[in-house]
Amino acid sequence: VFKVPSACRHSVLANQTQRSITKMLLFISSIFIICTLPSHVVRIYATMAGQETENLKSLQQIFMHLNNFHFAINFFLYSICGSHFRKCLNQLVDKTVHRARNR
């Protein structure tokens, strides 16, 4: 039976972890761009046109809500995508509950 050297196993595990983190950051960055880009495009368009109509103001308000929505869901995105984030959050909650019980 062929044994994989310990250094190789560590390298493979580190590679998988890096790939997982990269996927999570790519997903979260993509959501950020999707939620913030429309607002910036409308601002640039209004600046280039030199005027801001009621339609542009309404559109800008809608896109600002989308931008704010991104900040509201950020926690949930990290919770869904990041296993390390979930593990650390669970440890933090456990420590906090443990401290509260011992008071």
Side-chain angles (χ1 to χ4, degrees):
V1 176
F2 178 73
K3 284 191 171 186
V4 178
S6 176
C8 290
R9 282 187 300 227
H10 177 70
S11 177
V12 169
L13 185 60
N15 226 359
Q16 289 172 342
T17 302
Q18 285 179 344
R19 202 171 291 131
S20 173
I21 290 171
T22 301
K23 285 180 184 178
M24 178 193 67
L25 291 176
L26 183 61
F27 176 71
I28 290 175
S29 298
S30 299
I31 297 296
F32 172 79
I33 290 170
I34 289 168
C35 290
T36 58
L37 189 62
S39 176
H40 294 297
V41 169
V42 169
R43 286 182 190 173
I44 290 170
Y45 178 79
T47 302
M48 299 282 283
Q51 61 182 353
E52 198 168 327
T53 64
E54 283 301 313
N55 287 342
L56 280 178
K57 287 181 183 179
S58 298
L59 203 55
Q60 180 63 23
Q61 287 294 321
I62 291 169
F63 290 144
M64 285 304 296
H65 288 300
L66 181 62
N67 192 14
N68 291 335
F69 176 72
H70 167 259
F71 294 110
I73 66 168
N74 232 2
F75 172 79
F76 299 105
L77 292 175
Y78 277 103
S79 296
I80 291 168
C81 296
S83 60
H84 186 69
F85 179 83
R86 285 191 304 271
K87 186 168 63 171
C88 290
L89 181 63
N90 283 335
Q91 289 173 353
L92 180 65
V93 169
D94 288 344
K95 283 181 184 179
T96 304
V97 169
H98 182 71
R99 284 183 193 158
R101 286 182 182 165
N102 289 337
R103 286 186 183 186

